[in-house]
Amino acid sequence: MQKNSLPYLTYNAFLKQKFGEPVLKIPVNAGFSCPNLDGTKGRGGCIFCDNRAFSPVHSCSEPVNIQLKRGIERSPARFKKYICYFQPYSNTHGPLEKLKHSIELALTVQKVVGIAIGTRPDCFSPEIYNYLGEVSKRTYLSVELGLQTVHDNTLEQINRCQTFAEGKSAIQELAKREIELVAHVILGLPGEDESMMMKTAKTLASLPVDGIKIHQLMVIKGTPMEQWYQRGRVQMMELDEYARLAAKFVSFLRPNQVIHRLMADCPPEAGLIAPLWCTQKSQARNTIRDAIVKSR
């Protein structure tokens, strides 16, 4: 399938349009925690979450600039520009000075043209919003918010310890400062039927959200979700069903909302139990893309 045949804008294509050439995101660990792990809002985290499975840099403790330089050294030769991606945990959960130090250090690295920050919507202060607004005027900045769903009953069930009202407030505050905002969502969460998932899509289409990351629900070893799965309390979708739902989800989004990701991947050696179809990343991604094309 040719890239230009896709009826949506991919993140890689968006970056190429913006910077005139391919840009690579390099994940780094800036040493932040999560309010759902450290007791600020909860302990144990979300029932599906294990950063050891979801982030290759979860255990890195070197300074951000050193992690970046090593990532650049290992990157394919075709890349000349890079985005520093603060990936594991909630990277606005902490003092402003810590966030500022990490971002300013990253921007000292040659060839770094932007910053991406993974976080939760309940981890901001007015000072952090204002600082990020200032950063976005100096360099490319993208804030990735883990929303997962717009349904509060689901958020409570998965022990997210946040509400959609908090998500909507963060979206509005970031938009007010013209900061690019990417929403993370999960399809197949416990208790959600198709209409609930599509309500999430329609809601995000109505808000000033610039991009979407769509993930399938996964079972990771050692998480509460594994126990639910073993007891039959939650079922994993087969690839064809996930592809159908992802295609329908995308159809409700605005044409200018960039699709950053259509699925998540995790190797079994990192703890993946199900669904195993995501280990065949290229095949699975093509199946999902084909479903989107055929649905138009």
Side-chain angles (χ1 to χ4, degrees):
M1 182 186 301
Q2 296 298 314
K3 288 184 179 179
N4 60 10
S5 69
L6 297 175
Y8 61 89
L9 182 59
T10 68
Y11 187 50
N12 286 341
F14 166 78
L15 290 177
K16 194 168 184 180
Q17 288 177 10
K18 186 174 185 66
F19 293 100
E21 61 184 284
V23 181
L24 181 66
K25 284 176 74 174
I26 296 181
V28 301
N29 187 338
F32 288 88
S33 183
C34 173
N36 204 13
L37 290 171
D38 65 10
T40 303
K41 297 190 78 173
R43 293 195 182 276
C46 304
I47 64 171
F48 56 79
C49 187
D50 186 337
N51 273 277
R52 292 172 297 180
F54 298 140
S55 174
V57 295
H58 75 275
S59 62
C60 289
S61 58
E62 295 176 311
V64 164
N65 59 328
I66 301 301
Q67 294 180 55
L68 266 177
K69 288 176 181 177
R70 290 188 175 175
I72 290 171
E73 289 171 359
R74 294 192 297 264
S75 68
R78 70 179 182 276
F79 292 104
K80 307 298 180 186
K81 294 179 180 178
Y82 304 89
I83 291 170
C84 176
Y85 181 23
F86 295 88
Q87 184 185 40
Y89 305 103
S90 303
N91 291 278
T92 56
H93 177 55
L96 170 61
E97 288 306 314
K98 181 175 181 178
L99 177 64
K100 183 181 294 187
H101 173 75
S102 299
I103 290 177
E104 300 303 332
L105 194 57
L107 291 176
T108 66
V109 178
Q110 191 175 13
K111 299 180 182 179
V112 170
V113 296
I115 302 289
I117 300 173
T119 190
R120 289 165 51 108
D122 54 354
C123 295
F124 291 91
S125 65
E127 293 77 18
I128 287 177
Y129 280 127
N130 290 335
Y131 169 66
L132 293 178
E134 185 268 324
V135 171
S136 71
K137 292 178 172 61
R138 292 191 278 131
T139 190
Y140 170 73
L141 176 64
S142 180
V143 175
E144 300 189 10
L145 283 184
L147 297 178
Q148 317 312 353
T149 178
V150 301
H151 302 284
D152 283 341
N153 57 336
T154 306
L155 292 170
E156 182 177 358
Q157 187 173 185
I158 64 176
N159 195 43
R160 186 71 183 170
C161 295
Q162 74 183 42
T163 65
F164 178 61
E166 290 172 315
K168 191 172 181 180
S169 175
I171 290 170
Q172 292 168 339
E173 290 295 328
L174 292 165
K176 188 188 304 181
R177 294 164 176 83
E178 299 183 337
I179 298 170
E180 180 183 298
L181 183 281
V182 181
H184 287 221
V185 298
I186 297 177
L187 301 186
L189 287 168
E192 291 208 355
D193 60 18
E194 184 171 330
S195 65
M196 293 174 72
M197 290 181 250
M198 296 312 128
K199 183 177 179 181
T200 293
K202 295 172 186 177
T203 303
L204 294 181
S206 72
L207 293 169
V209 172
D210 302 288
I212 313 287
K213 271 189 175 180
I214 308 169
H215 296 176
Q216 76 280 13
L217 181 64
M218 295 193 295
V219 178
I220 306 299
K221 186 176 182 180
T223 63
M225 182 64 73
E226 180 191 10
Q227 299 175 20
W228 286 27
Y229 180 67
Q230 300 296 354
R231 295 169 186 166
R233 187 174 173 182
V234 63
Q235 303 293 323
M236 295 297 106
M237 282 186 280
E238 296 296 334
L239 175 57
D240 287 346
E241 174 65 1
Y242 178 78
R244 184 186 70 80
L245 288 172
K248 189 172 181 180
F249 191 99
V250 170
S251 74
F252 287 116
L253 300 177
R254 301 193 310 272
N256 66 340
Q257 287 181 304
V258 180
I259 306 301
H260 287 235
R261 183 177 292 171
L262 288 168
M263 57 168 279
D265 62 282
C266 175
E269 56 267 27
L272 177 71
I273 293 176
L276 293 178
W277 53 257
C278 67
T279 61
Q280 305 295 320
K281 186 175 179 179
S282 295
Q283 178 181 340
R285 186 170 52 206
N286 286 338
T287 297
I288 299 165
R289 286 178 171 175
D290 286 344
I292 295 174
V293 171
K294 290 174 182 176
S295 70
R296 298 302 171 94

Short mmCIF file of all heavy atoms in Angstrom, two decimals, residues 137-187:
data_model
loop_
_atom_site.label_atom_id
_atom_site.label_comp_id
_atom_site.label_asym_id
_atom_site.label_seq_id
_atom_site.Cartn_x
_atom_site.Cartn_y
_atom_site.Cartn_z
N LYS A 137 6.90 28.32 21.70
CA LYS A 137 7.22 29.45 20.83
C LYS A 137 8.66 29.40 20.36
O LYS A 137 9.04 30.08 19.40
CB LYS A 137 6.95 30.77 21.57
CG LYS A 137 5.48 31.05 21.84
CD LYS A 137 5.29 32.34 22.61
CE LYS A 137 3.82 32.71 22.71
NZ LYS A 137 3.02 31.69 23.41
N ARG A 138 9.49 28.57 21.02
CA ARG A 138 10.91 28.46 20.67
C ARG A 138 11.24 27.24 19.84
O ARG A 138 12.21 27.22 19.08
CB ARG A 138 11.77 28.41 21.95
CG ARG A 138 11.80 29.68 22.76
CD ARG A 138 12.88 29.58 23.82
NE ARG A 138 12.44 28.86 25.02
CZ ARG A 138 13.12 27.89 25.60
NH1 ARG A 138 14.27 27.48 25.08
NH2 ARG A 138 12.68 27.32 26.70
N THR A 139 10.44 26.19 20.00
CA THR A 139 10.74 24.94 19.31
C THR A 139 9.44 24.16 19.12
O THR A 139 8.40 24.51 19.68
CB THR A 139 11.75 24.10 20.12
OG1 THR A 139 12.20 22.99 19.33
CG2 THR A 139 11.13 23.55 21.41
N TYR A 140 9.49 23.11 18.33
CA TYR A 140 8.33 22.24 18.18
C TYR A 140 8.07 21.53 19.51
O TYR A 140 8.97 20.96 20.13
CB TYR A 140 8.59 21.21 17.08
CG TYR A 140 7.55 20.12 17.01
CD1 TYR A 140 6.28 20.37 16.50
CD2 TYR A 140 7.85 18.82 17.44
CE1 TYR A 140 5.32 19.37 16.44
CE2 TYR A 140 6.90 17.81 17.37
CZ TYR A 140 5.64 18.09 16.88
OH TYR A 140 4.69 17.11 16.82
N LEU A 141 6.83 21.57 19.97
CA LEU A 141 6.45 20.94 21.22
C LEU A 141 5.14 20.19 21.04
O LEU A 141 4.17 20.73 20.51
CB LEU A 141 6.29 21.98 22.33
CG LEU A 141 5.78 21.44 23.68
CD1 LEU A 141 6.78 20.48 24.30
CD2 LEU A 141 5.47 22.58 24.64
N SER A 142 5.12 18.95 21.49
CA SER A 142 3.92 18.13 21.44
C SER A 142 3.71 17.52 22.82
O SER A 142 4.62 16.90 23.38
CB SER A 142 4.07 17.03 20.39
OG SER A 142 2.92 16.22 20.32
N VAL A 143 2.52 17.70 23.38
CA VAL A 143 2.18 17.11 24.67
C VAL A 143 1.22 15.95 24.44
O VAL A 143 0.16 16.12 23.82
CB VAL A 143 1.56 18.15 25.61
CG1 VAL A 143 1.09 17.48 26.91
CG2 VAL A 143 2.57 19.25 25.93
N GLU A 144 1.60 14.77 24.93
CA GLU A 144 0.78 13.57 24.76
C GLU A 144 0.08 13.25 26.08
O GLU A 144 0.72 12.98 27.09
CB GLU A 144 1.66 12.40 24.33
CG GLU A 144 2.39 12.66 23.01
CD GLU A 144 3.09 11.43 22.47
OE1 GLU A 144 2.87 10.32 23.02
OE2 GLU A 144 3.84 11.57 21.50
N LEU A 145 -1.25 13.31 26.03
CA LEU A 145 -2.07 13.10 27.23
C LEU A 145 -2.68 11.70 27.23
O LEU A 145 -3.36 11.31 26.28
CB LEU A 145 -3.21 14.11 27.28
CG LEU A 145 -2.92 15.54 27.71
CD1 LEU A 145 -4.23 16.32 27.78
CD2 LEU A 145 -2.22 15.59 29.05
N GLY A 146 -2.45 10.98 28.31
CA GLY A 146 -3.09 9.68 28.45
C GLY A 146 -4.53 9.84 28.91
O GLY A 146 -4.81 9.88 30.10
N LEU A 147 -5.44 9.94 27.95
CA LEU A 147 -6.87 10.04 28.28
C LEU A 147 -7.51 8.66 28.39
O LEU A 147 -8.29 8.39 29.27
CB LEU A 147 -7.60 10.86 27.21
CG LEU A 147 -7.19 12.32 27.05
CD1 LEU A 147 -7.99 12.97 25.91
CD2 LEU A 147 -7.39 13.09 28.33
N GLN A 148 -7.20 7.79 27.44
CA GLN A 148 -7.66 6.40 27.34
C GLN A 148 -9.13 6.27 26.95
O GLN A 148 -9.47 5.44 26.12
CB GLN A 148 -7.39 5.61 28.63
CG GLN A 148 -6.02 5.83 29.26
CD GLN A 148 -4.84 5.74 28.31
OE1 GLN A 148 -4.97 5.37 27.14
NE2 GLN A 148 -3.66 6.10 28.78
N THR A 149 -10.01 7.08 27.53
CA THR A 149 -11.44 7.01 27.23
C THR A 149 -12.10 8.28 27.77
O THR A 149 -11.51 8.99 28.60
CB THR A 149 -12.09 5.77 27.89
OG1 THR A 149 -13.51 5.76 27.62
CG2 THR A 149 -11.89 5.78 29.40
N VAL A 150 -13.31 8.56 27.31
CA VAL A 150 -14.04 9.72 27.85
C VAL A 150 -15.05 9.29 28.91
O VAL A 150 -15.80 10.12 29.42
CB VAL A 150 -14.76 10.50 26.73
CG1 VAL A 150 -13.75 10.98 25.69
CG2 VAL A 150 -15.86 9.67 26.08
N HIS A 151 -15.07 8.00 29.25
CA HIS A 151 -16.08 7.47 30.16
C HIS A 151 -15.51 7.31 31.58
O HIS A 151 -14.60 6.51 31.82
CB HIS A 151 -16.59 6.12 29.64
CG HIS A 151 -17.17 6.20 28.26
ND1 HIS A 151 -18.42 6.73 28.02
CD2 HIS A 151 -16.65 5.84 27.06
CE1 HIS A 151 -18.66 6.68 26.71
NE2 HIS A 151 -17.60 6.15 26.11
N ASP A 152 -16.07 8.05 32.51
CA ASP A 152 -15.56 8.04 33.88
C ASP A 152 -15.72 6.69 34.56
O ASP A 152 -14.88 6.29 35.39
CB ASP A 152 -16.25 9.12 34.72
CG ASP A 152 -15.71 10.51 34.43
OD1 ASP A 152 -14.59 10.62 33.89
OD2 ASP A 152 -16.41 11.49 34.75
N ASN A 153 -16.81 5.96 34.23
CA ASN A 153 -16.98 4.64 34.87
C ASN A 153 -15.87 3.69 34.45
O ASN A 153 -15.41 2.87 35.25
CB ASN A 153 -18.36 4.06 34.55
CG ASN A 153 -18.62 3.94 33.06
OD1 ASN A 153 -18.04 4.65 32.25
ND2 ASN A 153 -19.53 3.04 32.69
N THR A 154 -15.41 3.80 33.20
CA THR A 154 -14.29 2.97 32.74
C THR A 154 -13.00 3.40 33.43
O THR A 154 -12.22 2.55 33.88
CB THR A 154 -14.12 3.07 31.22
OG1 THR A 154 -15.34 2.75 30.57
CG2 THR A 154 -13.03 2.13 30.74
N LEU A 155 -12.78 4.70 33.51
CA LEU A 155 -11.57 5.21 34.17
C LEU A 155 -11.49 4.72 35.61
O LEU A 155 -10.41 4.36 36.11
CB LEU A 155 -11.54 6.73 34.11
CG LEU A 155 -11.34 7.34 32.73
CD1 LEU A 155 -11.58 8.85 32.76
CD2 LEU A 155 -9.93 7.06 32.20
N GLU A 156 -12.63 4.68 36.28
CA GLU A 156 -12.64 4.19 37.66
C GLU A 156 -12.36 2.69 37.71
O GLU A 156 -11.60 2.22 38.56
CB GLU A 156 -14.01 4.48 38.28
CG GLU A 156 -14.11 4.05 39.74
CD GLU A 156 -15.45 4.40 40.36
OE1 GLU A 156 -16.29 5.02 39.68
OE2 GLU A 156 -15.64 4.06 41.54
N GLN A 157 -12.93 1.96 36.76
CA GLN A 157 -12.76 0.51 36.75
C GLN A 157 -11.31 0.10 36.51
O GLN A 157 -10.84 -0.89 37.07
CB GLN A 157 -13.68 -0.11 35.67
CG GLN A 157 -13.70 -1.62 35.72
CD GLN A 157 -14.71 -2.23 34.76
OE1 GLN A 157 -14.91 -3.45 34.75
NE2 GLN A 157 -15.36 -1.41 33.96
N ILE A 158 -10.59 0.86 35.69
CA ILE A 158 -9.20 0.51 35.39
C ILE A 158 -8.22 1.17 36.36
O ILE A 158 -7.01 1.12 36.14
CB ILE A 158 -8.83 0.87 33.93
CG1 ILE A 158 -8.90 2.38 33.69
CG2 ILE A 158 -9.70 0.09 32.95
CD1 ILE A 158 -8.44 2.80 32.28
N ASN A 159 -8.76 1.75 37.43
CA ASN A 159 -7.93 2.39 38.46
C ASN A 159 -7.07 3.52 37.89
O ASN A 159 -5.91 3.70 38.28
CB ASN A 159 -7.03 1.36 39.17
CG ASN A 159 -6.45 1.91 40.46
OD1 ASN A 159 -7.14 2.56 41.24
ND2 ASN A 159 -5.17 1.66 40.69
N ARG A 160 -7.65 4.30 37.00
CA ARG A 160 -6.90 5.39 36.38
C ARG A 160 -6.71 6.56 37.34
O ARG A 160 -5.77 7.34 37.19
CB ARG A 160 -7.65 5.85 35.11
CG ARG A 160 -6.91 6.89 34.29
CD ARG A 160 -5.72 6.31 33.60
NE ARG A 160 -4.98 7.33 32.86
CZ ARG A 160 -3.79 7.15 32.32
NH1 ARG A 160 -3.21 5.97 32.40
NH2 ARG A 160 -3.19 8.12 31.68
N CYS A 161 -7.60 6.71 38.28
CA CYS A 161 -7.52 7.80 39.27
C CYS A 161 -7.51 9.18 38.61
O CYS A 161 -6.80 10.10 39.05
CB CYS A 161 -6.31 7.64 40.18
SG CYS A 161 -6.37 6.17 41.23
N GLN A 162 -8.27 9.31 37.53
CA GLN A 162 -8.47 10.60 36.88
C GLN A 162 -9.86 10.61 36.29
O GLN A 162 -10.49 9.56 36.15
CB GLN A 162 -7.42 10.87 35.79
CG GLN A 162 -7.64 10.06 34.51
CD GLN A 162 -6.57 10.28 33.46
OE1 GLN A 162 -5.39 10.33 33.78
NE2 GLN A 162 -6.97 10.39 32.21
N THR A 163 -10.34 11.80 35.93
CA THR A 163 -11.66 11.92 35.32
C THR A 163 -11.54 12.55 33.94
O THR A 163 -10.52 13.18 33.63
CB THR A 163 -12.59 12.80 36.18
OG1 THR A 163 -12.05 14.14 36.20
CG2 THR A 163 -12.70 12.26 37.60
N PHE A 164 -12.59 12.39 33.14
CA PHE A 164 -12.54 13.02 31.83
C PHE A 164 -12.62 14.53 31.96
O PHE A 164 -12.09 15.25 31.12
CB PHE A 164 -13.67 12.51 30.93
CG PHE A 164 -13.66 13.19 29.59
CD1 PHE A 164 -12.57 13.08 28.75
CD2 PHE A 164 -14.75 13.98 29.19
CE1 PHE A 164 -12.54 13.72 27.52
CE2 PHE A 164 -14.72 14.62 27.96
CZ PHE A 164 -13.61 14.51 27.12
N ALA A 165 -13.25 15.03 33.01
CA ALA A 165 -13.29 16.48 33.24
C ALA A 165 -11.87 17.02 33.37
O ALA A 165 -11.57 18.11 32.86
CB ALA A 165 -14.12 16.79 34.49
N GLU A 166 -11.00 16.28 34.04
CA GLU A 166 -9.60 16.70 34.14
C GLU A 166 -8.93 16.68 32.76
O GLU A 166 -8.13 17.56 32.43
CB GLU A 166 -8.85 15.78 35.11
CG GLU A 166 -9.26 15.96 36.55
CD GLU A 166 -8.64 14.92 37.48
OE1 GLU A 166 -8.66 13.72 37.12
OE2 GLU A 166 -8.17 15.30 38.56
N GLY A 167 -9.28 15.68 31.97
CA GLY A 167 -8.74 15.61 30.62
C GLY A 167 -9.18 16.78 29.77
O GLY A 167 -8.38 17.39 29.06
N LYS A 168 -10.46 17.10 29.84
CA LYS A 168 -11.00 18.20 29.04
C LYS A 168 -10.39 19.53 29.47
O LYS A 168 -10.06 20.38 28.63
CB LYS A 168 -12.52 18.24 29.19
CG LYS A 168 -13.22 19.17 28.22
CD LYS A 168 -14.73 19.01 28.31
CE LYS A 168 -15.44 19.92 27.31
NZ LYS A 168 -16.91 19.75 27.39
N SER A 169 -10.18 19.71 30.76
CA SER A 169 -9.56 20.94 31.26
C SER A 169 -8.14 21.09 30.74
O SER A 169 -7.73 22.17 30.30
CB SER A 169 -9.57 20.94 32.78
OG SER A 169 -8.88 22.06 33.30
N ALA A 170 -7.36 19.99 30.77
CA ALA A 170 -5.99 20.04 30.27
C ALA A 170 -5.96 20.34 28.78
O ALA A 170 -5.12 21.13 28.31
CB ALA A 170 -5.28 18.71 30.55
N ILE A 171 -6.87 19.75 28.03
CA ILE A 171 -6.94 20.01 26.59
C ILE A 171 -7.19 21.50 26.33
O ILE A 171 -6.53 22.13 25.49
CB ILE A 171 -8.06 19.16 25.94
CG1 ILE A 171 -7.66 17.69 25.93
CG2 ILE A 171 -8.37 19.65 24.52
CD1 ILE A 171 -8.78 16.75 25.55
N GLN A 172 -8.11 22.07 27.06
CA GLN A 172 -8.44 23.48 26.87
C GLN A 172 -7.30 24.40 27.27
O GLN A 172 -7.03 25.40 26.59
CB GLN A 172 -9.72 23.81 27.65
CG GLN A 172 -10.95 23.12 27.08
CD GLN A 172 -12.17 23.20 27.99
OE1 GLN A 172 -12.04 23.42 29.20
NE2 GLN A 172 -13.35 23.01 27.42
N GLU A 173 -6.61 24.08 28.36
CA GLU A 173 -5.48 24.91 28.81
C GLU A 173 -4.33 24.86 27.81
O GLU A 173 -3.69 25.88 27.53
CB GLU A 173 -5.01 24.46 30.19
CG GLU A 173 -5.97 24.78 31.32
CD GLU A 173 -6.16 26.27 31.53
OE1 GLU A 173 -5.22 27.04 31.30
OE2 GLU A 173 -7.27 26.67 31.92
N LEU A 174 -4.04 23.68 27.28
CA LEU A 174 -2.97 23.55 26.29
C LEU A 174 -3.35 24.26 24.99
O LEU A 174 -2.52 24.94 24.38
CB LEU A 174 -2.67 22.07 26.04
CG LEU A 174 -2.04 21.33 27.22
CD1 LEU A 174 -2.12 19.82 27.02
CD2 LEU A 174 -0.58 21.75 27.42
N ALA A 175 -4.60 24.11 24.58
CA ALA A 175 -5.05 24.76 23.35
C ALA A 175 -5.00 26.28 23.48
O ALA A 175 -4.66 26.99 22.53
CB ALA A 175 -6.47 24.31 23.01
N LYS A 176 -5.32 26.77 24.67
CA LYS A 176 -5.29 28.21 24.93
C LYS A 176 -3.89 28.78 24.67
O LYS A 176 -3.73 29.92 24.25
CB LYS A 176 -5.70 28.47 26.38
CG LYS A 176 -5.91 29.92 26.74
CD LYS A 176 -6.14 30.07 28.25
CE LYS A 176 -7.30 29.23 28.74
NZ LYS A 176 -7.52 29.41 30.22
N ARG A 177 -2.87 27.94 24.90
CA ARG A 177 -1.49 28.36 24.72
C ARG A 177 -0.92 27.90 23.38
O ARG A 177 0.28 27.97 23.14
CB ARG A 177 -0.64 27.84 25.87
CG ARG A 177 -1.03 28.50 27.21
CD ARG A 177 -0.49 27.73 28.39
NE ARG A 177 -0.79 28.40 29.66
CZ ARG A 177 -1.95 28.29 30.32
NH1 ARG A 177 -2.93 27.54 29.82
NH2 ARG A 177 -2.14 28.93 31.46
N GLU A 178 -1.79 27.38 22.52
CA GLU A 178 -1.42 26.92 21.17
C GLU A 178 -0.34 25.84 21.21
O GLU A 178 0.59 25.84 20.41
CB GLU A 178 -1.00 28.11 20.30
CG GLU A 178 -2.10 29.13 20.12
CD GLU A 178 -1.70 30.27 19.19
OE1 GLU A 178 -0.50 30.52 19.04
OE2 GLU A 178 -2.61 30.90 18.63
N ILE A 179 -0.48 24.94 22.16
CA ILE A 179 0.45 23.82 22.29
C ILE A 179 -0.16 22.59 21.62
O ILE A 179 -1.33 22.25 21.88
CB ILE A 179 0.73 23.51 23.77
CG1 ILE A 179 1.40 24.72 24.45
CG2 ILE A 179 1.60 22.27 23.92
CD1 ILE A 179 1.49 24.60 25.96
N GLU A 180 0.59 21.94 20.77
CA GLU A 180 0.09 20.74 20.10
C GLU A 180 -0.26 19.67 21.13
O GLU A 180 0.51 19.39 22.04
CB GLU A 180 1.14 20.20 19.12
CG GLU A 180 0.69 18.95 18.39
CD GLU A 180 1.76 18.39 17.48
OE1 GLU A 180 2.16 19.10 16.53
OE2 GLU A 180 2.21 17.26 17.72
N LEU A 181 -1.42 19.08 20.96
CA LEU A 181 -1.93 18.11 21.92
C LEU A 181 -2.28 16.79 21.23
O LEU A 181 -2.99 16.78 20.23
CB LEU A 181 -3.16 18.70 22.61
CG LEU A 181 -3.89 17.94 23.73
CD1 LEU A 181 -4.80 16.85 23.21
CD2 LEU A 181 -2.90 17.37 24.74
N VAL A 182 -1.77 15.70 21.77
CA VAL A 182 -2.03 14.36 21.25
C VAL A 182 -2.72 13.56 22.34
O VAL A 182 -2.24 13.49 23.48
CB VAL A 182 -0.72 13.66 20.83
CG1 VAL A 182 -1.02 12.27 20.28
CG2 VAL A 182 0.03 14.49 19.81
N ALA A 183 -3.86 12.95 22.03
CA ALA A 183 -4.61 12.15 22.99
C ALA A 183 -4.33 10.66 22.79
O ALA A 183 -4.40 10.17 21.66
CB ALA A 183 -6.11 12.42 22.84
N HIS A 184 -4.00 9.97 23.87
CA HIS A 184 -3.86 8.52 23.84
C HIS A 184 -5.21 7.90 24.19
O HIS A 184 -5.83 8.29 25.19
CB HIS A 184 -2.84 8.05 24.87
CG HIS A 184 -1.42 8.34 24.52
ND1 HIS A 184 -0.41 7.44 24.74
CD2 HIS A 184 -0.85 9.43 23.96
CE1 HIS A 184 0.75 7.97 24.34
NE2 HIS A 184 0.50 9.18 23.87
N VAL A 185 -5.64 6.93 23.41
CA VAL A 185 -6.88 6.20 23.72
C VAL A 185 -6.64 4.71 23.56
O VAL A 185 -5.76 4.28 22.81
CB VAL A 185 -8.05 6.64 22.82
CG1 VAL A 185 -8.38 8.10 23.02
CG2 VAL A 185 -7.76 6.36 21.36
N ILE A 186 -7.43 3.92 24.29
CA ILE A 186 -7.33 2.46 24.22
C ILE A 186 -8.68 1.91 23.80
O ILE A 186 -9.72 2.25 24.38
CB ILE A 186 -6.92 1.86 25.58
CG1 ILE A 186 -5.52 2.34 25.97
CG2 ILE A 186 -6.95 0.34 25.52
CD1 ILE A 186 -5.07 1.86 27.35
N LEU A 187 -8.67 1.05 22.79
CA LEU A 187 -9.88 0.36 22.35
C LEU A 187 -9.93 -1.02 22.99
O LEU A 187 -8.93 -1.73 23.03
CB LEU A 187 -9.91 0.23 20.83
CG LEU A 187 -9.87 1.53 20.02
CD1 LEU A 187 -10.05 1.24 18.53
CD2 LEU A 187 -10.93 2.52 20.50
#
